[in-house]
Amino acid sequence: MNFYSDYFQHTPQDDFGYSPEWNQEINKWLEFVFYLNKDYYKKNKKRVLIDKQRNELLGELKTIYFFGKILRLNIEDLEPDGKDYTKLDLSIKDLKNNLWKVEVKAPSWKGQLWKDSNLSESQKRIRVSKPKYINGEAGSFSSEEEIKYTVEDSIKNALPKFTKGDNNLLVITPDMHHQIITMLAVSAMAGGSGAIQDEITTQDGTNIISTVLILEPILPALENEVRYSHKFIGVNNKPILPTIAEFI
């Protein structure tokens, strides 16, 4: 069964799907979720018909695949209850059998575009008027300004779903339009990961978030296998989810 074809039967308005390498990787995410929870797989098919929901779903799928297949952690639940009748994206058990509540954020490409200091205002207006995916165009999620905006926006949207006192993990994943080695950009920032920690502390004044994960699948040049670049950032001396390595 080709899971990608099963999900993406419609013709998108943009050039989403032009990369066979990424289509193959998305097929792996869908296959993993299919055998993990068939009800979840079937229920979320309709989300690919709307661009914004499609991008959010892809962020969730890659995160589920990363924890369950790459790190081989137990996926306890998909769409578990969050705070005040909200729904989180998933819950997992770490290597010490601790339960973590997980919310995934794949920030808006238009929001990131408006923060891009490399483009003029007129260039930004022209670009946002076009489809998100354009064949042959490479996006970037690499400037310090963009990263800070992304962290701030993700925290604001995730906080209302988390319950204080739980092990709360916020996953920030650049979407398929922005995938140019964010880890290098974070390392190059003034203060590196510490600058991200400071931003989290500023936005999360009540210390609800335990850990932030920046997750970025990348397809290195001249290679045909996706690598899952990731970085866990602890907050306020709280425990960090056990991991294997920075690159897998």
Side-chain angles (χ1 to χ4, degrees), residues 106-129:
S108 161
W109 72 278
K110 289 185 178 180
Q112 292 177 349
L113 184 67
W114 282 113
K115 292 289 183 178
D116 190 346
S117 57
N118 295 318
L119 298 177
S120 67
E121 292 300 310
S122 61
Q123 288 174 318
K124 293 174 184 177
R125 284 194 293 271
I126 291 171
R127 182 60 188 89
V128 297
S129 68

Side-chain angles (χ1 to χ4, degrees), residues 33-57:
V33 168
F34 177 82
Y35 290 110
L36 178 68
N37 189 319
K38 291 183 175 63
D39 289 337
Y40 176 92
Y41 177 92
K42 293 176 182 177
K43 182 178 71 173
N44 283 284
K45 272 188 176 183
K46 60 186 178 182
R47 293 174 66 188
V48 304
L49 300 175
I50 302 172
D51 287 355
K52 183 177 186 299
Q53 293 186 16
R54 175 190 67 191
N55 303 328
E56 291 172 348
L57 176 63

Side-chain angles (χ1 to χ4, degrees), residues 38-126:
K38 291 183 175 63
D39 289 337
Y40 176 92
Y41 177 92
K42 293 176 182 177
K43 182 178 71 173
N44 283 284
K45 272 188 176 183
K46 60 186 178 182
R47 293 174 66 188
V48 304
L49 300 175
I50 302 172
D51 287 355
K52 183 177 186 299
Q53 293 186 16
R54 175 190 67 191
N55 303 328
E56 291 172 348
L57 176 63
L58 289 171
E60 294 161 23
L61 291 174
K62 77 177 80 165
T63 301
I64 294 167
Y65 181 84
F66 174 73
F67 282 124
K69 184 69 173 181
I70 304 298
L71 294 187
R72 299 183 181 181
L73 298 176
N74 288 329
I75 307 294
E76 289 295 300
D77 197 7
L78 298 179
E79 300 181 325
D81 291 336
K83 183 180 178 181
D84 296 335
Y85 305 104
T86 61
K87 289 288 185 181
L88 293 162
D89 290 318
L90 66 151
S91 60
I92 60 175
K93 286 282 187 72
D94 66 18
L95 297 178
K96 296 182 179 180
N97 208 38
N98 297 312
L99 181 68
W100 288 76
K101 302 292 184 66
V102 183
E103 179 68 8
V104 182
K105 293 301 177 188
S108 161
W109 72 278
K110 289 185 178 180
Q112 292 177 349
L113 184 67
W114 282 113
K115 292 289 183 178
D116 190 346
S117 57
N118 295 318
L119 298 177
S120 67
E121 292 300 310
S122 61
Q123 288 174 318
K124 293 174 184 177
R125 284 194 293 271
I126 291 171

Side-chain angles (χ1 to χ4, degrees), residues 152-168:
E152 177 182 345
D153 187 60
S154 299
I155 292 171
K156 286 181 178 178
N157 289 321
L159 278 177
K161 295 187 175 185
F162 285 135
T163 299
K164 187 175 177 63
D166 288 346
N167 292 320
N168 295 316

